[in-house]
């Protein structure tokens, strides 16, 4: 060993010991520990912490590109995604903590969107339950399973509001409403992150996609987003803010531009709004190569500039783009980015690694026994069945066709009737189709009469003999249950549709089945609102079941036979035709509101304005009646709370649950306000004949908005208070707010 090498060796030992002592200084705060570690890092090592790469899944199991493995070893890659299972995570973490100079553990991220191994309903489906406890539990279980499989970070929840069912990613969100979306965002963040960050049944949440990703022009994924700041703040911002305030540890940028600036390079969004206005303290990660895509957006000349724009805007971690890794050092040398900003980004990431407890035990999420016992446990499956049936929405039920008598002979027909592969929907984590209960299995398990099956057609293909066989089976039966819909991959990322009807062959066979004269129950599976006026007119009953996941078949059978009385309500309007899109309940009145007797009002000449099924709509096997809403005072002072009471009675013959909804309208304001806005809801259970008084509290904040001068607050004046079972069927009261 030469003299200088020897000296380096000694320095290294001293240096390294010192770091060890700092890292493991248990009494220090995460902030202090991060700072001390930061002080020992080279610029290359810092940039490594800002870098996130994917691993792959080959046909025989997980794989990692050799280059990435070397990057972990050298400290150039500090975080991974798509690496899961205890064995694989342990192998990679070992490289980071045994072979790198600083032994900084890796973060392991994955898209755990609606379950890891036990798959829950797609998020849009869960939103239809309006059941925050169940939604929180679903996220809790998903996190516990993910954290038992090596993961410590999920790329969820997606809280993008969308009014456009053409956009395939509506399946991942909570629908069209900012208020419902905010409550769900909070429930999911709390569910994923559990009691505290660092618990071995919890993972870091990542709110995405910041911001406005759900409003691409034409519903086309990745497309431009442009709207006034007022509109943006009123309708799109609230769930992001709610998620951040619920403690979300990380935020992901979005692919789109907003007001001409791509989100990944948008300082207004990432720094002014997210960090300064809302006080977000976690780290911001880009979406997959969204940094690089700013070259295509045309706001930077090359990757290097894209990195500079991003860092200066407030992006901490580069997902898969390799821009920080390739160029950030040079950008520092040229003075294009400040070392202090890099340090701040690294600090944010290290802080969370300390909070997670990874320095004390880098393998704390790698316990084989936990992995075996937690994944797909009977309790997890039971919870999935529970929320699955709560997510189903009864759209139509003529002559009380449902629930079915178990003794009747059933013809189960359709491409999705005996299918498992589609049930886990898009973004299905590590879910396996084989673990799913098909509708045929679920129905056969609960039916007492014969259940005949014919698929009738495939998703897109009709054959004469398939149809004939289906019609023959229908004629022999008492009732037809037709299970039809999209393929799972027709929604999700990069799955926009310009035509949102049911694939034509499926609609055709439904009509043929109706012609047999047998009652037809349509069970829909899809990842977005569909335009189905023809089916709505002809089917006897319709159940919207989304993609329910592992327990789909059992949950659907529970509802079909009445073991569970449906209680879901639509979180997004169902249009009559794609031509109405965007169609949503919280619209403005306009200067010429719809009047059936006047041509010169805001309407279509060939179709009603109203959607086929409005936001908040869903039937039950029983019926409910509503009193008028009763405010505790008609005149109240600004700043005072208002109590609203509404009596709801179960007027049918079965016990049932109802989502009681509260809407408000500011009648005269300094800017135009929506004709109704959801400001509260409660899900209640009522026995036949039972009445409950449901109480809501409206605060000043609930009546506030961005006023003419863009300050947020309430304006005294008249308000309409509305309560009811869906956004289009409400009873009203008026109140007056005084100064
Ligand atoms: C791209 C998607 O937009 C994002 O939602 C996801 O988390 C990342 N890919 C990682 O898979």
């Amino acid at each position: 060993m030469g003299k200088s090498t020897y000296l380096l060796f000694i320095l290294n030992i001293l240096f390294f010991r010192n770091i060890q002592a700092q890292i493991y200084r248990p009494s220090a705060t995460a902030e202090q520990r991060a700072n001390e570690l930061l002080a020992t890092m080279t610029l290359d090592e810092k940039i490594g912490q800002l870098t996130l790469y994917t691993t792959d899944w080959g046909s025989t199991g997980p794989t990692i590109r050799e280059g990435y493995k070397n990057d972990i070893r050298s400290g150039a890659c500090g975080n991974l995604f798509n690496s899961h299972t205890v064995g694989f995570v342990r192998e990679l973490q070992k490289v980071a903590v045994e072979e790198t100079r600083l032994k900084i553990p890796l973060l392991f991220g994955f898209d755990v969107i609606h379950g890891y191994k036990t798959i829950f309903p797609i998020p849009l489906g869960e939103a239809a339950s309006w059941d925050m406890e169940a939604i929180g539990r679903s996220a809790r279980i998903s996190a516990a399973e993910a954290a038992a499989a090596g993961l410590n970070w999920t790329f969820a929840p997606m809280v993008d509001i969308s009014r456009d069912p053409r956009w395939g990613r509506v399946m991942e969100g909570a629908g069209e409403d900012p208020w419902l979306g905010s409550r769900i965002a909070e429930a999911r963040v709390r569910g994923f992150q559990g009691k505290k960050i660092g618990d071995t049944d919890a993972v870091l949440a990542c709110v995405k996609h910041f911001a406005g990703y759900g409003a691409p022009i034409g519903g086309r994924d990745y497309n431009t987003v442009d709207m006034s700041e007022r509109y943006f703040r009123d309708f799109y911002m609230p769930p992001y803010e709610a998620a951040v305030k619920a403690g979300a540890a990380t935020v992901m940028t979005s692919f789109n531009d907003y007001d001409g600036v791509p989100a990944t390079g948008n300082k207004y969004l990432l720094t002014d709004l997210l960090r300064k206005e809302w006080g977000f303290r976690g780290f911001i990660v880009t979406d997959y190569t969204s940094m690089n895509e700013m070259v295509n957006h045309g706001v930077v000349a090359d990757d290097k500039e894209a990195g500079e724009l991003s860092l200066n805007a407030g992006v901490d971690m580069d997902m898969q783009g390799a821009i920080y890794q390739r160029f950030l050092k040079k950008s520092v040398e040229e003075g294009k980015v400040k070392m202090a900003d890099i340090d701040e980004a690294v600090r944010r990431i290290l802080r969370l690694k300390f909070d997670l407890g990874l320095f004390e035990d880098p393998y704390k999420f790698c316990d084989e026994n936990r992995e075996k016992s937690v994944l797909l446990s009977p309790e997890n499956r039971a919870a999935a069945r529970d929320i699955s049936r709560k997510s189903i929405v009864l759209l139509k039920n003529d002559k009380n066709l449902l629930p079915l008598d178990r003794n009747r002979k059933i013809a189960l027909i359709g491409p999705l009737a005996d299918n498992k592969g589609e049930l886990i929907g898009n973004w299905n984590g590590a879910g396996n189709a084989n673990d799913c209960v098909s509708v045929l299995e679920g129905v056969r398990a609960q039916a007492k009469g014969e259940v005949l099956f014919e698929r009738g057609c495939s998703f897109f293909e009709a054959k004469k003999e398939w149809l004939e066989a289906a019609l023959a089976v229908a004629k022999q039966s008492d009732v037809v249950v037709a299970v039809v819909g999209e393929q799972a991959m027709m929604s999700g990322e990069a799955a926009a549709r310009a035509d949102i009807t049911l694939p034509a062959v499926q609609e055709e066979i439904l009509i043929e089945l109706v012609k047999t004269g047998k009652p037809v129950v349509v069970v829909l599976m899809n990842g977005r609102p569909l335009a189905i006026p023809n089916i709505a007119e002809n089917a006897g009953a319709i159940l919207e079941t989304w993609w329910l996941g592992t327990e789909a078949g059992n949950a659907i059978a529970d509802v079909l036979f009445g073991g569970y009385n449906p209680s879901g309500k639509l979180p997004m309007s169902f249009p009559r035709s794609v031509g109405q899109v965007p169609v949503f309940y919280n619209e403005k009145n306009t200067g010429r509101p719809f009047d059936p007797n006047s041509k010169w009002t805001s309407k279509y000449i060939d179709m009603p304005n109203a959607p086929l099924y409005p936001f908040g709509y869903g039937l039950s096997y029983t019926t409910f009646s509503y009193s008028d809403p009763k405010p505790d005072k008609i005149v109240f002072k600004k700043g005072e709370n208002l109590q609203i009471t509404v009596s709801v009675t179960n007027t049918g013959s079965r016990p049932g649950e109802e989502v009681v909804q509260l809407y408000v309208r500011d009648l005269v304001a300094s800017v135009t306000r929506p004709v109704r806005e959801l400001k509260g809801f409660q899900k209640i259970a009522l026995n036949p004949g039972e009445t409950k008084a449901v109480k809501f509290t409206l605060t000043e904040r609930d009546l506030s908005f961005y006023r003419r001068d863009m300050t947020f607050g309430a304006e005294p004046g008249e308000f309409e208070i509305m309560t009811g079972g869906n956004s289009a069927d409400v009873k009203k009261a008026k109140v007056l707010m005084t100064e």
Side-chain angles (χ1 to χ4, degrees):
M1 201 182 280
K3 224 179 178 177
S4 59
T5 330
Y6 182 71
L7 193 67
L8 265 179
F9 177 71
I10 294 294
L11 274 175
N12 206 17
I13 291 181
L14 288 172
F15 194 46
F16 187 71
R17 281 236 177 97
N18 191 22
I19 289 160
Q20 283 282 8
Q22 288 168 342
I23 292 174
Y24 292 100
R25 196 155 70 91
S27 59
T29 63
E31 177 83 13
Q32 288 165 334
R33 297 168 91 186
N35 280 332
E36 287 170 22
L37 175 53
L38 192 59
T40 69
M41 293 171 80
T42 64
L43 177 53
D44 287 321
E45 285 163 340
K46 290 176 185 173
I47 294 170
Q49 290 305 305
L50 308 185
T51 297
L52 169 66
Y53 286 138
T54 181
T55 55
D56 306 309
W57 285 81
S59 48
T60 52
T63 63
I64 178 161
R65 290 168 230 182
E66 231 1 78
Y68 293 164
K69 206 160 185 175
N70 290 335
D71 285 338
I72 300 173
R73 209 166 269 130
S74 69
C77 167
N79 313 283
L80 291 172
F81 68 115
N82 293 338
S83 329
H84 47 109
T85 68
V86 164
F88 190 39
V89 167
R90 184 182 283 280
E91 176 194 328
L92 299 169
Q93 193 68 294
K94 196 161 183 286
V95 178
V97 299
E98 291 187 13
E99 298 184 45
T100 66
R101 188 180 79 94
L102 295 176
K103 303 176 185 297
I104 303 176
L106 301 162
L107 284 183
F108 287 90
F110 190 43
D111 290 280
V112 181
I113 307 294
H114 54 112
Y116 175 74
K117 191 63 87 182
T118 305
I119 302 301
F120 290 82
I122 57 168
L124 186 66
E126 284 191 352
S129 74
W130 295 56
D131 185 327
M132 299 308 112
E133 192 277 324
I135 291 174
R137 187 148 35 98
S138 154
R140 208 63 291 290
I141 292 171
S142 304
E145 287 199 354
L151 293 159
N152 46 40
W153 184 22
T154 177
F155 300 143
M158 186 193 103
V159 304
D160 303 317
I161 292 298
S162 187
R163 295 163 160 187
D164 197 328
R166 293 171 297 184
W167 190 51
R169 298 195 80 167
V170 296
M171 58 134 307
E172 284 174 68
E176 74 187 38
D177 184 63
W179 209 86
L180 176 63
S182 297
R183 304 294 79 79
I184 292 177
E186 292 159 354
R188 289 195 168 128
V189 167
R190 294 192 182 117
F192 286 130
Q193 294 190 167
K195 282 207 190 72
K196 70 173 193 323
I197 289 171
D199 286 353
T200 51
D201 65 352
V203 293
L204 303 179
C206 183
V207 179
K208 68 188 189 183
H209 306 81
F210 196 66
Y213 185 42
I217 293 174
R220 227 174 58 209
D221 210 0
Y222 317 125
N223 205 4
T224 303
V225 171
D226 206 358
M227 63 181 83
S228 67
E229 188 184 343
R230 180 184 314 286
Y231 212 69
F232 201 52
R233 283 181 178 263
D234 277 352
F235 300 113
Y236 291 84
M237 283 294 138
Y240 302 115
E241 185 178 357
V244 165
K245 300 215 162 135
T250 74
V251 169
M252 187 185 293
T253 68
S254 56
F255 288 121
N256 57 281
D257 63 335
Y258 166 64
D259 193 19
V261 184
T264 303
N266 197 315
K267 193 167 185 186
Y268 161 71
L269 290 176
L270 306 182
T271 298
D272 299 345
L273 193 61
L274 184 56
R275 292 196 194 286
K276 292 194 182 146
E277 204 175 310
W278 299 344
F280 175 64
R281 282 197 81 233
F283 71 80
I284 301 175
V285 61
T286 70
D287 201 348
Y288 200 108
T289 64
S290 65
M291 201 184 283
N292 317 52
E293 292 162 24
M294 292 201 289
V295 176
N296 285 340
H297 276 290
V299 295
V300 287
D302 53 32
D303 282 359
K304 178 167 161 293
E305 257 188 49
E308 291 158 3
L309 184 64
S310 305
L311 194 95
N312 291 330
V315 167
D316 302 306
M317 193 184 283
D318 171 4
M319 184 197 287
Q320 199 57 21
I323 289 186
Y324 281 178
Q325 188 187 29
R326 284 177 292 147
F327 303 111
L328 210 51
K329 201 172 180 183
K330 191 146 189 277
S331 302
V332 176
E333 286 159 10
E334 289 174 2
K336 301 268 173 52
V337 299
K338 290 198 212 87
M339 195 63 181
D341 290 336
I342 293 184
D343 284 350
E344 188 51 39
V346 176
R347 192 177 291 120
R348 290 174 185 135
I349 293 162
L350 289 179
R351 229 169 21 215
L352 280 168
K353 290 189 176 183
F354 280 112
D355 284 342
L356 279 167
L358 289 172
F359 285 86
E360 283 79 358
D361 180 4
Y363 305 110
K364 66 188 288 188
F365 300 100
C366 298
D367 175 337
E368 279 83 359
N369 289 331
R370 201 146 45 86
E371 188 177 37
K372 274 198 210 98
S373 63
V374 172
L375 304 194
L376 213 62
S377 69
E379 306 84 72
N380 293 0
R381 291 195 74 125
R385 181 171 179 167
D386 179 57
I387 189 162
S388 292
R389 50 196 212 173
K390 288 178 169 157
S391 302
I392 294 173
V393 185
L394 178 64
L395 295 176
K396 181 177 181 185
N397 196 18
D398 260 8
K399 299 189 198 115
N400 293 328
L401 174 54
L402 289 176
L404 298 176
D405 178 340
R406 286 172 208 268
N407 297 307
R408 292 176 95 188
K409 192 167 174 185
I410 298 172
L412 200 59
I413 289 167
L416 283 157
D418 186 26
N419 178 294
K420 294 191 178 205
E422 306 293 324
L423 300 181
I424 51 180
N426 206 327
W427 290 116
N428 45 42
N432 290 324
N434 287 340
D435 295 327
C436 291
V437 180
S438 71
V439 178
L440 183 60
E441 287 169 345
V443 169
R444 283 209 167 129
Q446 294 193 33
K448 293 196 179 124
E450 210 180 337
V451 180
L452 305 171
F453 163 73
E454 276 296 334
R455 70 175 172 158
C457 65
S458 72
F459 284 101
F460 303 104
E461 199 190 348
K463 275 195 185 153
K464 201 162 161 263
E465 61 272 27
W466 293 347
L467 176 62
E468 281 168 3
L471 294 177
V473 160
K475 282 176 194 152
Q476 291 167 47
S477 308
D478 301 317
V479 58
V480 174
V481 176
V483 193
V484 294
E486 298 183 306
Q487 276 177 315
M489 296 308 280
M490 287 165 72
S491 59
E493 189 179 350
R497 293 182 66 196
D499 172 0
I500 53 169
T501 58
L502 200 61
V505 288
Q506 297 185 48
E507 191 158 331
E508 279 156 29
I509 112 159
L510 284 180
I511 298 304
E512 291 304 316
L513 289 167
V514 169
K515 283 187 198 153
T516 62
K518 300 287 177 176
V520 176
V521 177
V522 175
V523 174
L524 289 172
M525 293 186 183
N526 42 276
R528 57 159 59 76
L530 295 175
I532 45 163
N534 205 8
I535 297 165
E537 198 179 318
N538 288 293
I542 307 174
L543 284 177
E544 173 54 75
T545 75
W546 323 100
W547 300 114
L548 292 179
T550 312
E551 285 289 322
N554 285 333
I556 290 169
D558 288 343
V559 170
L560 283 173
F561 294 114
Y564 182 77
N565 185 354
S567 63
K569 301 270 189 174
L570 295 178
M572 206 171 167
S573 311
F574 272 44
R576 291 167 201 274
S577 150
V578 76
Q580 289 182 313
V581 171
V583 60
F584 48 90
Y585 85 95
N586 45 356
E587 59 183 11
K588 306 275 183 89
N589 201 40
T590 81
R592 292 188 174 196
F594 170 68
D595 175 351
N597 302 316
S598 168
K599 175 178 166 64
W600 310 103
T601 59
S602 181
K603 63 181 173 192
Y604 299 104
I605 57 169
D606 56 354
M607 190 171 290
N609 283 5
L612 184 59
Y613 299 115
F615 174 80
Y617 172 87
L619 304 171
S620 161
Y621 295 154
T622 187
T623 47
F624 300 98
S625 77
Y626 280 73
S627 73
D628 288 332
K630 287 191 191 62
D632 64 341
K633 37 195 175 291
I634 301 299
V635 181
F636 67 110
K637 275 215 180 71
K638 185 176 175 196
E640 268 177 14
N641 286 352
L642 198 62
Q643 309 286 339
I644 313 292
T645 309
V646 57
S647 294
V648 185
T649 306
N650 181 343
T651 47
S653 53
R654 288 169 183 272
E657 290 162 275
E658 169 72 336
V659 179
V660 182
Q661 300 160 42
L662 170 77
Y663 297 88
V664 302
R665 176 177 179 185
D666 190 336
L667 286 165
V668 181
S670 59
V671 291
T672 57
R673 301 297 302 148
V675 291
R676 57 194 57 135
E677 288 180 282
L678 184 75
K679 290 296 174 184
F681 60 85
Q682 283 179 43
K683 193 162 187 172
I684 56 164
L686 289 174
N687 285 318
E690 191 184 350
T691 298
K692 267 189 189 160
V694 180
K695 286 191 185 353
F696 295 98
T697 302
L698 278 174
T699 64
E700 183 181 353
R701 191 183 162 82
D702 293 326
L703 301 174
S704 296
F705 59 95
Y706 289 94
R707 295 170 290 206
R708 180 80 66 96
D709 63 359
M710 285 310 276
T711 56
F712 185 77
E715 290 177 350
E718 267 193 326
F719 290 84
E720 223 167 47
I721 308 295
M722 293 158 268
T723 45
N726 74 66
S727 65
D729 181 13
V730 291
K731 290 185 171 164
K732 302 179 182 179
K734 256 190 203 167
V735 291
L736 177 70
M737 181 197 278
T738 57
E739 278 293 356

